């Protein structure tokens, strides 16, 4: 399966590079309107045609993909950090604190967190600037997506605290802080790394769902959610097959992230 992982990594790197150089590759700015050619078909000037406002689809796909590939990892980093702090502390301290934290985590997980995310996002102002909407969307994803990872980190921290090397470190005079810093945290890095990579495609999917509902990144800034929302009209999609390009790229990117994570978990 290593060749599958390599192919997935190469594809993700190619997409990331294309998004980094979006200004050079795109034929026009993502917000520029060619008012004389709305809903134009694919051509040499507009590789994926234009949308109903005359904006170049290829430009919008590149910039929308860049937003997800840059900020979904940032949200995953926030979620992994919160999981490390909450789960790691609970597993290391144990006792009543662990029971209280895990009870709160269970309560948090019992809630339909996507609907909770929709509720929190809907309570915030919708008429914010595009950059502010991006920050709000992915900050909410990171702050609300830590609970499942925290349970995994807590179980690992508890297991490491009771392991032979930790007991030996205590017998050698290591204090609680030194034990946590030099022995437990380095051994928690693999599980945190795995939770980080697992969270990225989850957050990409969630942002797309929010965008489809109109609660994600606001116009004119493109996102995968706003691009996929254009596929709601069946008649326009069947007559303009190139509109499926964002969907195909979206599926490919999310699938490649899953392949990278899956291959890391499979035994050699």
């Amino acid at each position: 399966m290593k060749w599958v992982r390599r192919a997935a990594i190469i594809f993700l790197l190619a997409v990331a590079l294309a998004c980094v150089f979006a200004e050079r590759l795109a034929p026009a700015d993502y917000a520029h309107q060619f008012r004389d050619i709305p809903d134009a078909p694919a051509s040499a000037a507009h590789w994926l045609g234009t949308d109903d406002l005359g904006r170049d689809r290829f430009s919008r796909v590149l910039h929308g993909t860049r937003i997800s590939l840059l900020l979904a990892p940032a949200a995953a980093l926030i979620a992994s950090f919160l999981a490390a702090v909450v789960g790691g502390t609970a597993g290391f301290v144990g006792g009543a604190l662990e029971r209280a934290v895990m009870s709160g985590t269970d309560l948090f997980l019992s809630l339909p967190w996507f609907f909770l995310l929709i509720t929190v996002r809907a309570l915030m102002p919708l008429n914010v600037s595009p950059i502010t909407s991006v920050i709000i969307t992915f900050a909410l994803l990171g702050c609300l997506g830590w609970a499942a990872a925290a349970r995994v980190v807590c179980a690992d921290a508890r297991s490491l605290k009771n392991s032979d090397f930790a007991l030996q470190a205590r017998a050698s005079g290591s204090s609680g802080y030194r034990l946590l810093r030099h022995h437990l945290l380095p051994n928690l890095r693999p599980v945190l790394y795995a939770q980080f990579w697992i969270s990225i495609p989850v957050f990409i999917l969630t942002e797309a769902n929010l965008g489809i509902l109109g609660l994600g990144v606001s116009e004119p800034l493109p996102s995968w959610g706003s691009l996929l929302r254009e596929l709601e009209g069946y008649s326009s999609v069947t007559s303009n097959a190139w509109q499926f390009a964002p969907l195909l790229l979206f599926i490919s990117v999310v699938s490649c992230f899953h392949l990278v994570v899956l291959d890391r978990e499979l035994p050699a």
Side-chain angles (χ1 to χ4, degrees):
M1 291 291 289
K2 289 187 177 180
W3 68 269
V4 176
R5 181 170 179 262
R6 290 196 190 100
I9 292 175
I10 291 173
F11 178 80
L12 290 175
L13 289 176
V15 173
L17 286 174
C19 295
V20 168
F21 297 102
E23 282 78 8
R24 296 186 179 183
L25 295 176
D29 184 77
Y30 65 85
H32 180 75
Q33 297 181 10
F34 297 90
R35 298 180 184 273
D36 53 335
I37 49 171
D39 284 322
S43 63
H46 305 284
W47 294 356
L48 297 177
T50 60
D51 62 9
D52 54 353
L53 296 178
R55 298 173 298 190
D56 184 81
R57 289 186 188 277
F58 182 69
S59 301
R60 294 182 63 77
V61 168
L62 285 179
H63 286 85
T65 304
R66 180 165 66 179
I67 289 175
S68 293
L69 290 185
L70 286 178
L71 294 178
L77 187 63
I78 295 174
S80 300
F81 174 76
L82 293 176
V85 172
V86 176
T89 303
F92 178 71
V93 175
L97 178 63
E98 180 183 358
R99 290 192 295 272
V101 170
M102 289 300 100
S103 297
T105 303
D106 289 339
L107 176 61
F108 194 85
L109 289 174
S110 66
L111 300 173
W113 79 281
F114 180 70
F115 293 102
L116 177 64
L117 179 62
I118 292 176
T119 303
V120 174
R121 180 65 183 91
L123 291 174
M124 294 184 176
L126 297 180
N127 57 340
V128 296
S129 65
I131 299 299
T132 304
S133 69
V134 169
I135 296 173
I136 290 175
T137 299
F138 286 95
L140 285 176
L141 290 176
C143 292
L144 297 177
W146 57 269
R151 289 195 62 85
V152 178
V153 173
C154 179
D156 266 49
R158 186 193 319 118
S159 176
L160 290 171
K161 183 185 72 171
N162 298 323
S163 62
D164 293 339
F165 76 87
L167 295 176
Q168 185 177 1
R170 282 200 190 93
S172 301
S174 293
S175 62
Y177 174 75
R178 181 179 177 84
L179 179 65
L180 178 64
R181 179 178 179 181
H182 294 284
H183 297 281
L184 294 188
L185 287 180
N187 286 281
L188 284 175
R189 286 175 186 169
V191 67
L192 288 172
Y193 185 72
Q195 294 301 315
F196 169 78
W197 277 99
I198 291 171
S199 300
I200 293 177
V202 173
F203 290 156
I204 290 176
L205 287 166
T206 306
E207 184 281 323
N209 288 325
L210 286 176
I212 291 173
L213 295 174
L215 296 174
V217 180
S218 60
E219 292 286 351
L221 198 63
S223 70
W224 264 332
S226 61
L227 294 171
L228 296 178
R229 191 167 56 209
E230 298 177 2
L231 301 179
E232 292 177 348
Y234 177 76
S235 58
S236 61
V237 172
T238 53
S239 59
N240 303 325
W242 54 86
Q243 291 189 20
F244 281 106
L247 177 61
L248 295 176
L249 181 61
F250 176 76
I251 294 174
S252 300
V253 169
V254 173
S255 299
C256 285
F257 272 113
H258 282 297
L259 286 173
V260 171
V261 175
L262 177 64
D263 189 78
R264 289 184 63 86
E265 294 178 349
L266 290 175

